Amino acid sequence: MKKFTLLFFLLLGVVAFSQELVVKGKVYNPSAQINDGVIELNVTGGTPPYVYKWNNQSTALSSKRASGLVEGVPYDVLVTDAAGNSETKVFEIEPTVIAEIFNGTMTPAVSALGAILFWDPFAAIGIYDPVVYADVKLVGTPGWTNETENRFVLKKWLKPEGAKVKKGDNIAIISSNDEEDLTVTATVTGELKYLVGEGKVIYNSENAKHVIESGAHYLAEIKYDEPLVMVHPNGDPITKPIPFIVIWLVLGATFFTIRMGFINIRGFGHSIDLARGKYDDPDAPGQVTHFQALATAVSGTVGLGNIAGVAVAVSLGGAGATFWMIVCGLLGMSSKFVECTLGVKYRDILPDGRVFGGPMNYLRYGLEKRGMKGFGKILAGFFAVLAIGASFGGGNMFQANQSFEQLAGQFPALVGQGFWFGVVTAILVGVVIIGGINSIANVTGKIVPLMASVYIIAALAVIIMNIENIGPAFTAIWEGAFSPSALKGGVIGVLVIGFQRAAFSNEAGVGSAAIAHSTAKTNHPPSEGFVALLEPFLDTVVVCTLTALVLIFTGMHEVEGMAGAQLTSDAFGSQISWFPYVLALAVFLFAFSTMISWSYYGMRAWTYLFGKSKKSEMVYKMLFLVFVVIGASVSLGAVLDFSDMMILAMSFPNIIGLYIMSGEVKGDLSTYWKKLKKNELFKKQITAKE
């Protein structure tokens, strides 16, 4: 009895003297740079150890310190002790400079727009689970990287196949050319399955198939008892949603492909004839030739997405993403045909020769013709606002910002000189855009073929240097497209990644190219639609695919922890030591040409809203040049992300209009085909030389 009484009073004392869980924190803003905020917690009381559940996904559950935070945005953390007691605290890092204020203000806007663009309707209605599960854990060769030059052989298995192994168990011994035997341990608990037999080669750097094949360095897999939910460091499940914007663009492209009778295939030959100038009528209304309009529009799409974006897609989706990029590019050709045909049909040509065309016109007047005047004005106005925002951001600041970072990475003397880089770039852009569409078309007509040729030749050189890898490369692409590993998200995951990169790169369905093509000299709107369908082919089927092939042929698609332009640069650099410098300059030319094209897109949207006077145009051009300097000299973070998203958002009003007017385009196409077959179209006469 005395023992129970003593125990009772002992427990009573512990309860009486135990402290409540107390969470305090300090916030730091260490510099004027954006996204470098820090929160540090001091937790007392309760029952250690503590778990820290931050809403910042990159902060681990075990960490009481969160860094790399956005200034001006609230962050919450739920602290739980071993006894289950919890306390929630909210902190906010005070912004101190204007860039931090802008960034903190725009971050919620990015989240809101992203919630619309990247909403997953399939997951919302319960027919698709976006959560990423791991069925097995792959066991790789210790110390292997994509640059490893060695030959690894599975010398001996230490556990029988099918055995239940525990984390830390020794499971195999590997021999290599230049090292002592390596012992492989199980990284998780589960059922062991062999991927390589005893005495067999696991990985040989001299074997092209091994260099290119996805996951060639794995020797075993361990199957979990139950599928494991993959999580971010803060414990949130990792998801691979099917973004609504991708569905919107791809379904539209598929619909227009079928509606126009596969015009992307049967009209390809005629489109090349048009681009070559075979049907150029010098007396036709408009300002630029078919080729110049094509070059201007291509310069607006061929850019960083073809270099950095493709690297991201292939590193995430594997070689198989390349196949789906090509499919999406082919489908996008039909969207371009429809929107650019309408762009010419509903254009407005002033007495001074200036052309005003694009989605603003066909959304407003095309729908007005169908008795939907009010709806058309709303769509056109919405599109114009988005296009102006996109031109200042994604078509301007984003390009200046990223091109400066690429050049500074290769030429250290530029580091810290963003403002002056922006001033020089703004002067170069200004010299071109002050002259209007004719000046823009003349410059893009020269820059686009030059930069594309340099890039294509370099890519082909790398491919030819590794031509022995062609078989394994295309095998990896085909197998990766239809039977990828679960690590890449399965077929659906790889398909979505490939479609997403292609749709974001060629802008088919966005409507931007229709503004450039509306200036073409032609009497027949469908003729410009034919020229426009070459854009996704050049942008995605040619340039994006070549980038992907360079990554695959060099084995760089297997690199972990690196993506974007640096990955592409390293892939080229692994074969041509000096090419990263050329690539940095190519990135600048890509960005420069994108800026001058988007200046025209934005200006036409601006004049739609604020009047067609030359004074109105000049106001826009001056603002555009100011944003070039801002983009190159200031870290804007979420501002750039938001404005880049506006390019994708332009597809909402545009594709709605294209659906409604697709029947009209089909009728115009039918009439055009008949005239072409009857030889009733203007055709340049070739005179024989005496």
Side-chain angles (χ1 to χ4, degrees):
M1 186 66 183
K2 288 182 179 180
K3 289 182 180 180
F4 285 111
T5 304
L6 182 62
L7 181 61
F8 173 76
F9 282 107
L10 182 62
L11 290 173
L12 189 63
V14 170
V15 173
F17 287 100
S18 65
Q19 297 178 338
E20 290 185 2
L21 185 64
V22 178
V23 179
K24 295 181 179 179
K26 291 183 178 181
V27 298
Y28 302 95
N29 188 352
S31 75
Q33 295 293 317
I34 63 170
N35 302 340
D36 67 348
V38 176
I39 300 173
E40 286 188 350
L41 299 182
N42 179 28
V43 182
T44 57
T47 308
Y50 309 112
V51 174
Y52 309 90
K53 178 69 171 68
W54 298 85
N55 66 339
N56 179 47
Q57 291 184 329
S58 62
T59 305
L61 290 167
S62 59
S63 178
K64 63 180 181 180
R65 184 178 189 273
S67 58
L69 307 179
V70 179
E71 299 83 0
V73 172
Y75 287 92
D76 61 70
V77 57
L78 172 67
V79 181
T80 306
D81 70 359
N85 301 307
S86 62
E87 181 76 19
T88 300
K89 290 288 182 180
V90 179
F91 301 94
E92 183 173 323
I93 297 101
E94 191 72 26
T96 57
V97 295
I98 192 70
E100 291 179 342
I101 294 171
F102 274 132
N103 186 53
T105 303
M106 291 303 296
T107 296
V110 169
S111 299
L113 186 55
I116 298 171
L117 294 174
F118 304 111
W119 170 64
D120 186 347
F122 293 107
I125 59 178
I127 63 173
Y128 172 75
D129 184 4
V131 175
V132 178
Y133 294 90
D135 297 319
V136 297
K137 178 70 174 180
L138 292 168
V139 181
T141 303
W144 178 91
T145 71
N146 70 298
E147 297 179 348
T148 297
E149 294 184 2
N150 208 330
R151 182 175 181 269
F152 299 97
V153 176
L154 196 295
K155 187 175 181 179
K156 183 180 180 181
W157 284 108
L158 302 178
K159 296 284 185 181
E161 186 166 21
K164 186 72 179 250
V165 296
K166 295 181 179 180
K167 183 177 180 179
D169 286 353
N170 294 332
I171 59 173
I173 296 175
I174 295 174
S175 64
S176 64
N177 288 346
D178 55 4
E179 294 182 16
E180 296 181 0
D181 289 353
L182 303 171
T183 301
V184 182
T185 59
T187 50
V188 295
T189 299
E191 183 181 314
L192 179 66
K193 178 183 177 182
Y194 298 166
L195 297 180
V196 180
E198 284 189 356
K200 300 294 184 181
V201 175
I202 304 169
Y203 179 86
N204 183 1
S205 60
E206 296 180 359
N207 185 328
K209 184 177 180 181
H210 288 184
V211 173
I212 290 171
E213 182 184 347
S214 181
H217 62 290
Y218 293 119
L219 57 107
E221 64 180 34
I222 300 174
K223 185 178 180 181
Y224 296 111
D225 294 332
E226 294 289 338
L228 189 70
V229 176
M230 303 296 286
V231 296
H232 293 282
N234 77 330
D236 287 349
I238 295 174
T239 60
K240 284 191 176 180
I242 303 176
F244 175 65
I245 186 64
V246 175
I247 299 169
W248 181 249
L249 290 167
V250 173
L251 284 183
T254 305
F255 173 82
F256 300 131
T257 297
I258 297 170
R259 189 84 168 93
M260 300 300 144
F262 292 88
I263 193 65
N264 52 345
I265 298 172
R266 63 191 182 104
F268 190 77
H270 181 57
S271 68
I272 293 176
D273 287 339
L274 284 161
R276 289 173 55 202
K278 197 172 179 179
Y279 293 88
D280 281 357
D281 183 352
D283 299 322
Q287 290 181 280
V288 300
T289 65
H290 287 303
F291 175 77
Q292 288 176 324
L294 175 65
T296 300
V298 168
S299 72
T301 59
V302 174
L304 293 166
N306 304 79
I307 298 172
V310 172
V312 172
V314 174
S315 62
L316 290 177
T322 309
F323 177 85
W324 297 113
M325 274 195 292
I326 294 171
V327 171
C328 187
L330 293 172
L331 292 173
M333 294 164 71
S334 303
S335 297
K336 288 274 187 172
F337 173 84
V338 176
E339 63 190 6
C340 293
T341 297
L342 290 170
V344 173
K345 184 171 185 177
Y346 286 94
R347 66 185 176 180
D348 183 17
I349 303 178
L350 298 190
D352 63 4
R354 287 182 298 151
V355 177
F356 293 82
M360 297 82 66
N361 282 43
Y362 61 70
L363 289 174
R364 180 171 179 177
Y365 302 113
L367 296 186
E368 181 179 332
K369 195 167 73 172
R370 286 163 176 73
M372 293 182 277
K373 182 177 180 179
F375 184 52
K377 289 180 74 172
I378 291 171
L379 289 183
F382 182 40
F383 180 91
V385 170
L386 290 171
I388 292 170
S391 73
F392 286 146
N396 180 338
M397 290 192 295
F398 181 80
Q399 303 298 324
N401 188 280
Q402 295 299 299
S403 61
F404 173 70
E405 286 192 9
Q406 283 300 307
L407 282 171
Q410 295 298 330
F411 302 99
L414 287 174
V415 175
Q417 303 299 319
F419 174 79
W420 294 110
F421 174 84
V423 170
V424 172
T425 304
I427 292 171
L428 294 173
V429 171
V431 168
V432 177
I433 70 174
I434 297 299
I437 186 61
N438 294 91
S439 177
I440 293 171
N442 285 332
V443 173
T444 55
K446 294 178 176 63
I447 287 182
V448 170
L450 173 65
M451 67 184 185
S453 298
V454 170
Y455 192 76
I456 289 170
I457 290 170
L460 290 174
V462 172
I463 292 169
I464 291 169
M465 290 167 71
N466 295 273
I467 196 65
E468 71 277 5
N469 297 351
I470 189 168
F474 282 99
T475 299
I477 290 171
W478 182 259
E479 291 180 351
F482 295 101
S483 57
S485 70
L487 284 178
K488 300 299 183 184
V491 174
I492 295 296
V494 174
L495 181 149
V496 169
I497 290 169
F499 274 11
Q500 182 168 311
R501 174 38 41 207
F504 292 4
S505 177
N506 61 47
E507 296 176 17
V510 167
S512 53
I515 301 174
H517 284 283
S518 66
T519 63
K521 291 182 177 181
T522 181
N523 290 300
H524 309 284
S527 70
E528 199 54 31
F530 278 104
V531 175
L533 66 78
L534 288 172
E535 283 172 47
F537 181 82
L538 294 170
D539 177 278
T540 306
V541 180
V542 176
V543 180
C544 283
T545 301
L546 283 173
T547 301
L549 290 178
V550 167
L551 292 165
I552 296 166
F553 270 62
T554 57
M556 296 298 285
H557 65 301
E558 284 292 282
V559 176
E560 296 181 0
M562 184 192 298
Q566 188 59 50
L567 185 59
T568 306
S569 180
D570 286 358
F572 277 104
S574 68
Q575 306 297 314
I576 310 172
S577 60
W578 47 265
F579 192 75
Y581 296 100
V582 177
L583 185 64
L585 292 173
V587 165
F588 173 73
L589 286 178
F590 283 149
F592 177 74
S593 63
T594 298
M595 282 188 275
I596 61 178
S597 295
W598 268 94
S599 73
Y600 185 73
Y601 300 160
M603 184 177 70
R604 282 294 164 257
W606 178 276
T607 52
Y608 175 80
L609 294 176
F610 301 109
K612 299 177 181 178
S613 69
K614 290 188 177 181
K615 182 179 179 181
S616 176
E617 290 185 352
M618 189 56 67
V619 169
Y620 172 82
K621 290 173 182 177
M622 291 299 105
L623 281 172
F624 190 86
L625 296 178
V626 169
F627 278 104
V628 173
V629 180
I630 293 173
S633 57
V634 180
S635 296
L636 292 172
V639 179
L640 296 182
D641 294 338
F642 183 80
S643 56
D644 206 32
M645 285 182 179
M646 292 179 84
I647 296 177
L648 298 176
M650 288 161 60
S651 66
F652 289 124
N654 185 54
I655 289 181
I656 290 172
L658 298 185
Y659 278 132
I660 296 171
M661 290 180 276
S662 61
E664 180 180 344
V665 176
K666 185 173 176 62
D668 292 342
L669 173 61
S670 179
T671 302
Y672 182 86
W673 272 128
K674 290 175 183 177
K675 288 183 178 181
L676 179 63
K677 290 176 181 177
K678 292 179 181 179
N679 204 26
E680 294 176 0
L681 301 176
F682 176 88
K683 197 172 184 180
K684 278 188 176 179
Q685 299 299 316
I686 301 175
T687 55
K689 292 183 179 179
E690 295 182 1

